[in-house]
Amino acid sequence: MWTAALLAIGIDGAAMPASDVFPGVGDFRLQKIHRAAGESEWPFVAESGTLLCALILRKPAVYFVPEVGGAPGRAFVIDNDITKMAFANIGMTDVLEPYDNFEQLLKRLIPYVTMGKRLCNQPPGTNVSGSEL
């Protein structure tokens, strides 16, 4: 019965590693990013931050942690699914630069979502120092 229920919700079976469901600290990959001089499509209010990626239910989940006043802020989910972002980031209104419409927001975010997903191809615990991805 449980196997049928798990398969119905998209889980390939109950015997998956716990780190594929709920990642631990060592399961994340990190990359520092910052706004380039004159960059007009930078989507974030903070001038710099860290992209994080971990596999959750075997799918990459990408986050941006803004660096505000030299200290890291709260993780903000970035994704090309606006609805997913809206629910995951309820109450966080000071992370993104103002945008005119969702098309403009996606145009700004998709390069960072793509970079974050490529980051998930690296081994867990990787800390990328530059813009290699």
Side-chain angles (χ1 to χ4, degrees), residues 35-52:
R35 178 182 221 148
E39 185 173 359
S40 62
E41 296 299 320
W42 178 256
F44 308 109
V45 171
E47 295 292 318
S48 63
T50 304
L51 277 181
L52 303 173

Side-chain angles (χ1 to χ4, degrees), residues 12-87:
D12 296 340
M16 68 175 22
S19 63
D20 283 355
V21 180
F22 299 106
V25 173
D27 295 319
F28 283 87
R29 295 91 166 149
L30 300 94
Q31 180 175 5
K32 290 276 192 186
I33 61 172
H34 63 277
R35 178 182 221 148
E39 185 173 359
S40 62
E41 296 299 320
W42 178 256
F44 308 109
V45 171
E47 295 292 318
S48 63
T50 304
L51 277 181
L52 303 173
C53 188
L55 296 177
I56 299 177
L57 295 175
R58 295 189 177 152
K59 294 184 180 176
V62 181
Y63 303 87
F64 173 72
V65 179
E67 191 172 299
V68 182
R74 185 174 141 204
F76 185 85
V77 174
I78 60 172
D79 199 286
N80 50 2
D81 180 342
I82 297 292
T83 305
K84 179 180 177 180
M85 277 182 48
F87 284 112

